[in-house]
Amino acid sequence: MATSMQAAATLMQTATFAVPNRAVLPLRSIGKSFGFEPATSRLTCSLHSDLKELAVKCTDAAKIAGFALATSALVVSGANAEGVPKRLTYDEIQSKTYLEVKGTGTANQCPTIEGGVDGFAFKSGKYNAKKLCLEPTSFTVKAEGVNKNSPPDFQKTKLMTRLTYTLDEIEGPLEVSSDGKLKFEEKDGIDYAAVTVQLPGGERVPFLFTVKQLVATGTPESFSGDFLVPSYRGSSFLDPKGRGGSTGYDNAVALPAGGRGDEEELEKENIKNTASSTGKITLSVTQSKPETGELIGVFESIQPSDTDLGSKAPKDVKIQGIWYAQLE
């Protein structure tokens, strides 16, 4: 029994001294490589001055590199930022591919003319106007100003829709009389576009920019006429309460008690009105090119805005811009 206990004690003593000897040596070598010096009762960390300088230099280099990268990205984005594209002629637009036009804003622009003469230089006779394009450059809405008690006037607005407001491919007969007067009738084409603008006070005004059924007469310097303005929404449109002109509920509330003075307001909300209204446009020819049959000019149109299917009064919207057409 004593012999076995002595052998066990000897084995434990050997294990106790062997393990620390194998573990301490690698730890000392690893600690020295990282700047740690072993002591009798604790470890101390000594970071040399050259390592500090190296760390500071690396940090500064990283900051400079990051700033340079951000600056270069800003310069590149600014260089690639596209403003208003150059106005092109009809032939130049037709020579471009879809990818060359996509995202440039050219599709929303009317063509221009190179050369030609000022004014209207076509002889009297009957023509067919085609490729008529109307491009608005200004939207103003007649409303009360931001200042209190200011009279209603045409206020500048902010466009809220994308660049899809230009009318194009409009055509119709154009007659030039012997005394130089013009008569144009709109027959077909992309003759309407839904547009929304925002007033300085924050109110948004939707309207349907159009020249449907236009009949314009006058001199080339100023020929004008009335046109039809359809309802911004159709009769099948349902409001948030499920009411519509030809579908949906007739009423959104139970039969209200009379005498409250709001019967007319409730009737406007319940009975949807999709009747059309009228607008007026004035066009002027500024330049023409008889050899190609092209002419360009400016226009000014005044038309009503959306009435929300008859529940609110419309606002007058003034639209100014340029136009282009071909005669054959």
Side-chain angles (χ1 to χ4, degrees):
M1 183 69 177
T3 304
S4 62
M5 292 181 64
Q6 185 178 2
T10 303
L11 180 61
M12 292 178 63
Q13 185 177 7
T14 304
T16 303
F17 288 98
V19 173
N21 290 337
R22 290 195 301 268
V24 170
L25 291 176
L27 288 175
R28 287 178 179 176
S29 61
I30 295 174
K32 287 182 179 180
S33 63
F34 282 91
F36 294 96
E37 296 293 339
T40 56
S41 60
R42 61 187 178 87
L43 292 175
T44 60
C45 178
S46 60
L47 184 61
H48 300 290
S49 60
D50 54 348
L51 293 178
K52 289 183 179 180
E53 294 178 0
L54 180 61
V56 172
K57 290 180 180 179
C58 290
T59 303
D60 294 339
K63 290 181 179 179
I64 293 172
F67 177 75
L69 182 61
T71 305
S72 62
L74 182 62
V75 171
V76 170
S77 63
N80 293 335
E82 297 178 353
V84 179
K86 177 185 176 183
R87 196 170 297 277
L88 306 176
T89 63
Y90 178 80
D91 293 335
E92 289 174 339
I93 296 176
Q94 297 300 313
S95 65
K96 289 186 174 294
T97 63
Y98 170 77
L99 293 178
E100 291 175 337
V101 174
K102 179 183 177 182
T104 62
T106 302
N108 193 56
Q109 287 185 334
C110 292
T112 187
I113 295 176
E114 285 188 357
V117 296
D118 295 336
F120 188 80
F122 291 88
K123 298 179 180 180
S124 59
K126 294 183 178 180
Y127 299 88
N128 182 36
K130 64 177 185 177
K131 305 293 183 183
L132 176 59
C133 173
L134 295 168
E135 178 191 345
T137 57
S138 172
F139 297 103
T140 55
V141 178
K142 192 173 185 180
E144 295 182 356
V146 179
N147 298 328
K148 190 176 181 180
N149 298 328
S150 59
D153 196 7
F154 284 99
Q155 307 289 332
K156 293 182 179 180
T157 61
K158 177 183 178 181
L159 183 66
M160 303 306 296
T161 52
R162 308 189 74 174
L163 301 181
T164 56
Y165 48 78
T166 295
L167 309 184
D168 203 0
E169 297 291 338
I170 299 174
E171 59 183 33
L174 175 68
E175 184 177 351
V176 182
S177 61
S178 57
D179 57 356
K181 292 186 177 181
L182 308 178
K183 181 181 180 181
F184 171 72
E185 296 183 21
E186 189 269 341
K187 293 295 184 182
D188 197 7
I190 306 174
D191 52 7
Y192 69 93
V195 185
T196 300
V197 295
Q198 181 173 291
L199 290 168
E203 180 184 0
R204 295 188 177 182
V205 181
F207 62 94
L208 198 68
F209 174 45
T210 180
V211 289
K212 281 184 175 293
Q213 301 180 13
L214 169 65
V215 179
T217 57
T219 62
E221 293 76 18
S222 177
F223 59 106
S224 59
D226 297 336
F227 57 88
L228 183 70
V229 182
S231 175
Y232 185 81
R233 295 188 175 98
S235 61
S236 60
F237 175 81
L238 299 179
D239 67 3
K241 294 184 178 181
R243 296 169 296 189
S246 58
T247 59
Y249 295 106
D250 293 334
N251 296 281
V253 295
L255 294 177
R260 295 189 301 174
D262 58 354
E263 291 83 1
E264 184 178 355
E265 296 298 327
L266 291 174
E267 185 178 3
K268 289 181 179 179
E269 293 288 345
N270 287 327
I271 301 178
K272 303 301 181 181
N273 184 9
T274 59
S276 301
S277 53
T278 58
K280 187 173 184 178
I281 187 173
T282 301
L283 301 97
S284 176
V285 179
T286 58
Q287 193 175 359
S288 59
K289 195 173 182 180
E291 54 268 25
T292 58
E294 298 173 297
L295 65 160
I296 59 175
V298 294
F299 74 89
E300 179 179 292
S301 173
I302 298 180
Q303 65 170 72
S305 66
D306 175 39
T307 63
D308 198 11
L309 295 176
S311 62
K312 60 183 181 181
K315 291 181 171 62
D316 290 335
V317 181
K318 182 188 291 185
I319 308 163
Q320 296 174 323
I322 61 176
W323 62 276
Y324 166 89
Q326 296 178 4
L327 302 183
E328 62 179 12

PDB file of all heavy atoms in Angstrom, residues 253-271:
ATOM      1  N   VAL A 253     -73.113  57.569 -47.069  1.00  0.00           N
ATOM      2  CA  VAL A 253     -73.658  57.770 -45.728  1.00  0.00           C
ATOM      3  C   VAL A 253     -75.145  57.440 -45.750  1.00  0.00           C
ATOM      4  O   VAL A 253     -75.755  57.314 -46.808  1.00  0.00           O
ATOM      5  CB  VAL A 253     -73.450  59.218 -45.249  1.00  0.00           C
ATOM      6  CG1 VAL A 253     -71.969  59.520 -45.094  1.00  0.00           C
ATOM      7  CG2 VAL A 253     -74.084  60.206 -46.213  1.00  0.00           C
ATOM      8  N   ALA A 254     -75.726  57.303 -44.581  1.00  0.00           N
ATOM      9  CA  ALA A 254     -77.172  57.099 -44.495  1.00  0.00           C
ATOM     10  C   ALA A 254     -77.893  58.389 -44.861  1.00  0.00           C
ATOM     11  O   ALA A 254     -77.270  59.437 -45.058  1.00  0.00           O
ATOM     12  CB  ALA A 254     -77.539  56.654 -43.083  1.00  0.00           C
ATOM     13  N   LEU A 255     -79.213  58.328 -44.949  1.00  0.00           N
ATOM     14  CA  LEU A 255     -79.972  59.523 -45.293  1.00  0.00           C
ATOM     15  C   LEU A 255     -79.788  60.564 -44.190  1.00  0.00           C
ATOM     16  O   LEU A 255     -80.201  60.363 -43.049  1.00  0.00           O
ATOM     17  CB  LEU A 255     -81.454  59.173 -45.452  1.00  0.00           C
ATOM     18  CG  LEU A 255     -81.782  58.239 -46.624  1.00  0.00           C
ATOM     19  CD1 LEU A 255     -83.269  57.911 -46.608  1.00  0.00           C
ATOM     20  CD2 LEU A 255     -81.400  58.886 -47.943  1.00  0.00           C
ATOM     21  N   PRO A 256     -79.128  61.697 -44.498  1.00  0.00           N
ATOM     22  CA  PRO A 256     -78.878  62.687 -43.450  1.00  0.00           C
ATOM     23  C   PRO A 256     -80.138  63.488 -43.148  1.00  0.00           C
ATOM     24  O   PRO A 256     -81.024  63.652 -43.992  1.00  0.00           O
ATOM     25  CB  PRO A 256     -77.792  63.575 -44.056  1.00  0.00           C
ATOM     26  CG  PRO A 256     -78.025  63.485 -45.533  1.00  0.00           C
ATOM     27  CD  PRO A 256     -78.561  62.103 -45.792  1.00  0.00           C
ATOM     28  N   ALA A 257     -80.197  63.986 -41.939  1.00  0.00           N
ATOM     29  CA  ALA A 257     -81.313  64.853 -41.551  1.00  0.00           C
ATOM     30  C   ALA A 257     -81.161  66.199 -42.231  1.00  0.00           C
ATOM     31  O   ALA A 257     -80.062  66.724 -42.360  1.00  0.00           O
ATOM     32  CB  ALA A 257     -81.342  65.014 -40.040  1.00  0.00           C
ATOM     33  N   GLY A 258     -82.267  66.758 -42.691  1.00  0.00           N
ATOM     34  CA  GLY A 258     -82.235  68.040 -43.372  1.00  0.00           C
ATOM     35  C   GLY A 258     -82.109  69.206 -42.415  1.00  0.00           C
ATOM     36  O   GLY A 258     -82.259  69.075 -41.201  1.00  0.00           O
ATOM     37  N   GLY A 259     -81.807  70.354 -42.985  1.00  0.00           N
ATOM     38  CA  GLY A 259     -81.743  71.570 -42.195  1.00  0.00           C
ATOM     39  C   GLY A 259     -80.381  71.912 -41.651  1.00  0.00           C
ATOM     40  O   GLY A 259     -80.225  72.924 -40.975  1.00  0.00           O
ATOM     41  N   ARG A 260     -79.372  71.086 -41.946  1.00  0.00           N
ATOM     42  CA  ARG A 260     -78.038  71.391 -41.434  1.00  0.00           C
ATOM     43  C   ARG A 260     -77.255  72.318 -42.360  1.00  0.00           C
ATOM     44  O   ARG A 260     -76.208  72.813 -41.991  1.00  0.00           O
ATOM     45  CB  ARG A 260     -77.246  70.102 -41.223  1.00  0.00           C
ATOM     46  CG  ARG A 260     -77.846  69.206 -40.137  1.00  0.00           C
ATOM     47  CD  ARG A 260     -76.906  68.067 -39.830  1.00  0.00           C
ATOM     48  NE  ARG A 260     -76.636  67.256 -41.021  1.00  0.00           N
ATOM     49  CZ  ARG A 260     -75.750  66.256 -41.041  1.00  0.00           C
ATOM     50  NH1 ARG A 260     -75.070  65.959 -39.948  1.00  0.00           N
ATOM     51  NH2 ARG A 260     -75.575  65.554 -42.139  1.00  0.00           N
ATOM     52  N   GLY A 261     -77.719  72.507 -43.564  1.00  0.00           N
ATOM     53  CA  GLY A 261     -77.047  73.401 -44.495  1.00  0.00           C
ATOM     54  C   GLY A 261     -75.932  72.775 -45.298  1.00  0.00           C
ATOM     55  O   GLY A 261     -75.249  73.475 -46.029  1.00  0.00           O
ATOM     56  N   ASP A 262     -75.723  71.475 -45.169  1.00  0.00           N
ATOM     57  CA  ASP A 262     -74.639  70.823 -45.904  1.00  0.00           C
ATOM     58  C   ASP A 262     -75.168  69.855 -46.956  1.00  0.00           C
ATOM     59  O   ASP A 262     -74.437  68.995 -47.437  1.00  0.00           O
ATOM     60  CB  ASP A 262     -73.713  70.076 -44.950  1.00  0.00           C
ATOM     61  CG  ASP A 262     -74.457  69.029 -44.121  1.00  0.00           C
ATOM     62  OD1 ASP A 262     -75.700  68.989 -44.221  1.00  0.00           O
ATOM     63  OD2 ASP A 262     -73.788  68.270 -43.401  1.00  0.00           O
ATOM     64  N   GLU A 263     -76.430  69.994 -47.318  1.00  0.00           N
ATOM     65  CA  GLU A 263     -77.002  69.078 -48.307  1.00  0.00           C
ATOM     66  C   GLU A 263     -76.317  69.235 -49.660  1.00  0.00           C
ATOM     67  O   GLU A 263     -76.069  68.252 -50.371  1.00  0.00           O
ATOM     68  CB  GLU A 263     -78.510  69.318 -48.453  1.00  0.00           C
ATOM     69  CG  GLU A 263     -79.342  68.915 -47.248  1.00  0.00           C
ATOM     70  CD  GLU A 263     -79.364  70.005 -46.189  1.00  0.00           C
ATOM     71  OE1 GLU A 263     -78.740  71.057 -46.430  1.00  0.00           O
ATOM     72  OE2 GLU A 263     -80.004  69.813 -45.132  1.00  0.00           O
ATOM     73  N   GLU A 264     -75.989  70.476 -50.021  1.00  0.00           N
ATOM     74  CA  GLU A 264     -75.352  70.707 -51.325  1.00  0.00           C
ATOM     75  C   GLU A 264     -73.957  70.095 -51.371  1.00  0.00           C
ATOM     76  O   GLU A 264     -73.557  69.514 -52.386  1.00  0.00           O
ATOM     77  CB  GLU A 264     -75.282  72.208 -51.593  1.00  0.00           C
ATOM     78  CG  GLU A 264     -74.729  72.543 -52.980  1.00  0.00           C
ATOM     79  CD  GLU A 264     -74.726  74.037 -53.242  1.00  0.00           C
ATOM     80  OE1 GLU A 264     -75.240  74.796 -52.388  1.00  0.00           O
ATOM     81  OE2 GLU A 264     -74.197  74.431 -54.291  1.00  0.00           O
ATOM     82  N   GLU A 265     -73.206  70.201 -50.289  1.00  0.00           N
ATOM     83  CA  GLU A 265     -71.871  69.621 -50.248  1.00  0.00           C
ATOM     84  C   GLU A 265     -71.935  68.099 -50.328  1.00  0.00           C
ATOM     85  O   GLU A 265     -71.132  67.466 -51.024  1.00  0.00           O
ATOM     86  CB  GLU A 265     -71.146  70.059 -48.971  1.00  0.00           C
ATOM     87  CG  GLU A 265     -70.886  71.549 -48.887  1.00  0.00           C
ATOM     88  CD  GLU A 265     -69.978  72.035 -49.999  1.00  0.00           C
ATOM     89  OE1 GLU A 265     -69.083  71.251 -50.413  1.00  0.00           O
ATOM     90  OE2 GLU A 265     -70.161  73.166 -50.474  1.00  0.00           O
ATOM     91  N   LEU A 266     -72.875  67.488 -49.631  1.00  0.00           N
ATOM     92  CA  LEU A 266     -73.025  66.045 -49.697  1.00  0.00           C
ATOM     93  C   LEU A 266     -73.450  65.592 -51.085  1.00  0.00           C
ATOM     94  O   LEU A 266     -73.025  64.534 -51.565  1.00  0.00           O
ATOM     95  CB  LEU A 266     -74.041  65.572 -48.651  1.00  0.00           C
ATOM     96  CG  LEU A 266     -73.613  65.697 -47.185  1.00  0.00           C
ATOM     97  CD1 LEU A 266     -74.766  65.322 -46.267  1.00  0.00           C
ATOM     98  CD2 LEU A 266     -72.389  64.836 -46.901  1.00  0.00           C
ATOM     99  N   GLU A 267     -74.281  66.387 -51.721  1.00  0.00           N
ATOM    100  CA  GLU A 267     -74.733  66.032 -53.065  1.00  0.00           C
ATOM    101  C   GLU A 267     -73.568  66.065 -54.054  1.00  0.00           C
ATOM    102  O   GLU A 267     -73.476  65.216 -54.949  1.00  0.00           O
ATOM    103  CB  GLU A 267     -75.838  67.000 -53.508  1.00  0.00           C
ATOM    104  CG  GLU A 267     -76.448  66.631 -54.860  1.00  0.00           C
ATOM    105  CD  GLU A 267     -77.571  67.578 -55.248  1.00  0.00           C
ATOM    106  OE1 GLU A 267     -77.830  68.540 -54.491  1.00  0.00           O
ATOM    107  OE2 GLU A 267     -78.187  67.367 -56.311  1.00  0.00           O
ATOM    108  N   LYS A 268     -72.660  67.030 -53.910  1.00  0.00           N
ATOM    109  CA  LYS A 268     -71.497  67.088 -54.803  1.00  0.00           C
ATOM    110  C   LYS A 268     -70.609  65.866 -54.637  1.00  0.00           C
ATOM    111  O   LYS A 268     -70.027  65.366 -55.609  1.00  0.00           O
ATOM    112  CB  LYS A 268     -70.685  68.357 -54.521  1.00  0.00           C
ATOM    113  CG  LYS A 268     -71.364  69.645 -54.967  1.00  0.00           C
ATOM    114  CD  LYS A 268     -70.475  70.834 -54.665  1.00  0.00           C
ATOM    115  CE  LYS A 268     -71.121  72.142 -55.113  1.00  0.00           C
ATOM    116  NZ  LYS A 268     -70.262  73.316 -54.796  1.00  0.00           N
ATOM    117  N   GLU A 269     -70.486  65.389 -53.409  1.00  0.00           N
ATOM    118  CA  GLU A 269     -69.650  64.221 -53.164  1.00  0.00           C
ATOM    119  C   GLU A 269     -70.317  62.938 -53.647  1.00  0.00           C
ATOM    120  O   GLU A 269     -69.638  62.020 -54.119  1.00  0.00           O
ATOM    121  CB  GLU A 269     -69.332  64.102 -51.675  1.00  0.00           C
ATOM    122  CG  GLU A 269     -68.439  65.203 -51.130  1.00  0.00           C
ATOM    123  CD  GLU A 269     -67.008  65.054 -51.603  1.00  0.00           C
ATOM    124  OE1 GLU A 269     -66.659  63.976 -52.097  1.00  0.00           O
ATOM    125  OE2 GLU A 269     -66.246  66.029 -51.486  1.00  0.00           O
ATOM    126  N   ASN A 270     -71.643  62.853 -53.549  1.00  0.00           N
ATOM    127  CA  ASN A 270     -72.351  61.627 -53.899  1.00  0.00           C
ATOM    128  C   ASN A 270     -72.616  61.520 -55.397  1.00  0.00           C
ATOM    129  O   ASN A 270     -72.517  60.437 -55.970  1.00  0.00           O
ATOM    130  CB  ASN A 270     -73.668  61.541 -53.133  1.00  0.00           C
ATOM    131  CG  ASN A 270     -73.462  61.232 -51.661  1.00  0.00           C
ATOM    132  OD1 ASN A 270     -72.532  60.526 -51.300  1.00  0.00           O
ATOM    133  ND2 ASN A 270     -74.327  61.772 -50.812  1.00  0.00           N
ATOM    134  N   ILE A 271     -72.977  62.632 -56.014  1.00  0.00           N
ATOM    135  CA  ILE A 271     -73.313  62.623 -57.445  1.00  0.00           C
ATOM    136  C   ILE A 271     -72.069  63.044 -58.225  1.00  0.00           C
ATOM    137  O   ILE A 271     -71.670  64.210 -58.195  1.00  0.00           O
ATOM    138  CB  ILE A 271     -74.492  63.564 -57.750  1.00  0.00           C
ATOM    139  CG1 ILE A 271     -75.724  63.131 -56.949  1.00  0.00           C
ATOM    140  CG2 ILE A 271     -74.792  63.560 -59.238  1.00  0.00           C
ATOM    141  CD1 ILE A 271     -76.926  64.037 -57.157  1.00  0.00           C
TER     142      ILE A 271
END
